[in-house]
Amino acid sequence: MTVTFWVNGRRQAWEVLPDEVLADSLRSHGFTSVKKGCGQGACGLCTVWVEDKPVPSCSVLTVRMAGKHITTLEGVQEEAAAYGSLLVAEGAEQCGFCAPGLIMLVLAMKKELKDPSEQQVREYLNGNLCRCSGYYGQIRAAMNYLQSERLG
Amino acid sequence: MIFKEYVCPSTLAEAYETLWSHPGSVLLGGCTLLRRNTRTSPLGIDLGGLGLNQITKTGTDLILGASVSLREMETSCGDLFDGALCKAVSALGGIPLRNVITVGGTVASRFGTSDLLTVLLALDTRLQFYHSGLCTLEEYLNMPPLRDILTEIHIPLGCSRIAFQSMRNACTDYALLNAAAADTACGLRIAVGARPMAAALSEAAADCINRGGTPAQAAEASAAELKFADNHRAGGAYRRELCLVLVERALKEAGI
């Protein structure tokens, strides 16, 4: 069946199966920033935005996206680079596989939370897993990113 | 799960008629557990077009539409019931996942591992089904499978105190056991879940407190009354030991 929606501001009409998940649809159409880890919504690697809300794209049916606006890392490259550079500066970018999903979640967090504490940041980012690190670098980078955004 | 066809009805009547006229069809809630299900269904019926995503507060109840996401519930109702609704879902994955999981899907599925079911049972929650009407959550948990559409979850606001406790191997894992103790408008309600069976009320624990017993004595009563079983996460005997601790802690935390 054909489903019509927007990806990164561009209208798309994709032929999909009824039980196809958004992660597969996005990757098969070239949006390969979307990574697949667990396939069950438990690792956060596949995080994208639907109507600006972060969702696990491996657990979202593409057929439900009719009329909706989807954002992947490809669509927020400038903002992603801002946090991404801080991530690198903290040594938190190792294999890189968790980064796209984490960056999408951090950018969503910046929109949703106002002046969060480190504990609130940790709670927000809970559920996006990294196999390389102990998360301290990602958290420091997130706090630095929020601080730099506040200072403009 | 594989389903061969997909429809998105625009009215409850249409959705219900489709459910009954298509044997084997499934209702689609949050859909986050589809990948763990190996069934093949001929038809998926999406409930997303039915407008069941409202959160309403009346003079007596908090009413959650079945399609309200756990995250919407967390952010809109976090200050109610001593934050128990938030505590009950905070261990479930991350915020992206909770943006998709629905309250209705969680409740209708009667998952044994659900923390939210335990809290809702302690809060004397009522469920509104499209065809069958209103029933208590307790009744629903003990019913045979019901081929109907859950539309609303009604949580009475007359609860003065509630506490939720759980034991889990990791903070985002499913609970080995959970418990909630609430002082509601209709009396004390102590619920224990993830036994691994779904939440159940302990009448014996409530009676014990009402007769002047201590939280420890009430916890013993609940552990003697309720059934526990083994699964890969924990043994039944261990769960019974956890019940002694979690029920006592929940009662003390709630000041009961």
Side-chain angles (χ1 to χ4, degrees):
Chain A
M1 52 192 299
T2 305
V3 188
T4 308
F5 44 82
W6 280 262
V7 180
N8 299 330
R10 294 187 68 176
R11 201 159 181 274
Q12 308 282 349
W14 293 349
E15 191 66 29
V16 300
L17 294 173
D19 50 9
E20 189 170 326
V21 294
L22 186 60
D24 292 336
S25 307
L26 287 168
R27 286 187 57 82
S28 67
H29 285 84
F31 297 95
T32 52
S33 73
V34 180
K35 306 302 180 202
K36 287 164 58 178
C38 67
Q40 298 184 7
C43 72
L45 263 59
C46 63
T47 302
V48 301
W49 301 346
V50 175
E51 303 296 346
D52 288 346
K53 283 188 189 169
V55 300
S57 58
C58 71
S59 302
V60 170
L61 295 175
T62 312
V63 292
R64 288 184 137 177
M65 297 296 103
K68 295 203 189 307
H69 295 81
I70 298 159
T71 309
T72 71
L73 195 72
E74 287 89 348
V76 290
Q77 292 190 39
E78 200 177 303
E79 302 97 306
Y83 173 62
S85 61
L86 293 171
L87 207 60
V88 170
E90 294 294 339
E93 178 78 354
Q94 296 186 46
C95 80
F97 208 59
C98 72
L102 180 70
I103 292 172
M104 293 305 291
L105 189 58
V106 167
L107 297 183
M109 177 181 69
K110 183 174 81 73
K111 291 186 189 195
E112 187 174 340
L113 300 186
K114 296 288 173 274
D115 202 15
S117 65
E118 184 178 312
Q119 182 58 30
Q120 287 171 317
V121 168
R122 285 181 174 276
E123 284 169 6
Y124 196 99
L125 301 183
N126 197 19
N128 269 49
L129 306 182
C130 169
R131 292 296 281 139
C132 296
S133 78
Y135 301 97
Y136 280 90
Q138 282 92 337
I139 299 296
R140 284 195 304 267
M143 297 305 292
N144 290 342
Y145 175 63
L146 293 172
Q147 172 81 349
S148 68
E149 290 291 303
R150 273 197 295 274
L151 295 173
Chain B
M1 172 183 284
I2 299 169
F3 45 90
K4 301 192 176 153
E5 303 286 338
Y6 164 89
V7 291
C8 189
S10 52
T11 68
L12 275 164
E14 187 187 343
Y16 187 75
E17 196 277 332
T18 305
L19 181 66
W20 276 94
S21 60
H22 290 78
S25 59
V26 292
L27 296 173
L28 303 178
C31 296
T32 54
L33 289 177
L34 286 183
R35 289 292 187 93
R36 300 195 201 182
N37 189 320
T38 54
R39 272 175 61 194
T40 299
S41 167
L43 178 68
I45 306 170
D46 196 335
L47 303 178
L50 301 176
L52 299 177
N53 56 350
Q54 304 302 309
I55 299 177
T56 315
K57 210 168 153 187
T58 68
T60 55
D61 290 340
L62 172 71
I63 302 174
L64 303 173
S67 296
V68 166
S69 72
L70 296 190
R71 184 65 182 159
E72 284 167 341
M73 182 188 73
E74 268 183 280
T75 53
S76 304
C77 313
D79 56 337
L80 298 174
F81 310 117
D82 299 325
L85 293 178
C86 284
K87 286 177 199 160
V89 301
S90 61
L92 260 179
I95 282 166
L97 195 62
R98 303 204 292 276
N99 271 329
V100 180
I101 298 174
T102 63
V103 181
T106 302
V107 172
S109 304
R110 302 188 270 199
F111 294 124
T113 53
S114 173
D115 294 327
L116 184 60
L117 271 184
T118 303
V119 167
L120 292 178
L121 185 61
L123 288 171
D124 194 22
T125 298
R126 316 300 163 89
L127 307 179
Q128 179 73 52
F129 286 91
Y130 169 70
H131 181 76
S132 313
L134 207 60
C135 69
T136 66
L137 175 57
E138 190 180 3
E139 286 166 341
Y140 179 64
L141 289 174
N142 291 297
M143 267 183 206
L146 182 65
R147 200 159 174 82
D148 201 341
I149 302 173
L150 176 62
T151 58
E152 291 174 345
I153 292 106
H154 294 222
I155 310 173
L157 290 168
C159 170
S160 59
R161 299 167 290 177
I162 179 170
F164 171 73
Q165 290 278 335
S166 68
M167 176 66 183
R168 46 214 335 129
N169 286 330
C171 64
T172 56
D173 199 357
Y174 291 125
L176 307 184
L177 196 81
N178 57 43
D183 190 0
T184 73
C186 64
L188 289 179
R189 294 173 67 88
I190 293 131
V192 181
R195 300 175 289 131
M197 298 78 81
L201 284 175
S202 172
E203 303 286 353
D207 285 344
C208 178
I209 294 289
N210 288 333
R211 282 184 280 106
T214 64
Q217 290 168 332
E220 280 177 20
S222 65
E225 178 190 12
L226 297 174
K227 292 186 173 40
F228 305 90
D230 302 344
N231 72 351
H232 63 282
R233 242 179 223 103
Y238 182 58
R239 286 187 157 106
R240 183 163 276 108
E241 293 295 319
L242 288 175
C243 181
L244 293 172
V245 176
L246 296 185
V247 169
E248 182 180 356
R249 282 184 187 170
L251 287 165
K252 285 179 173 173
E253 186 185 330
I256 295 170

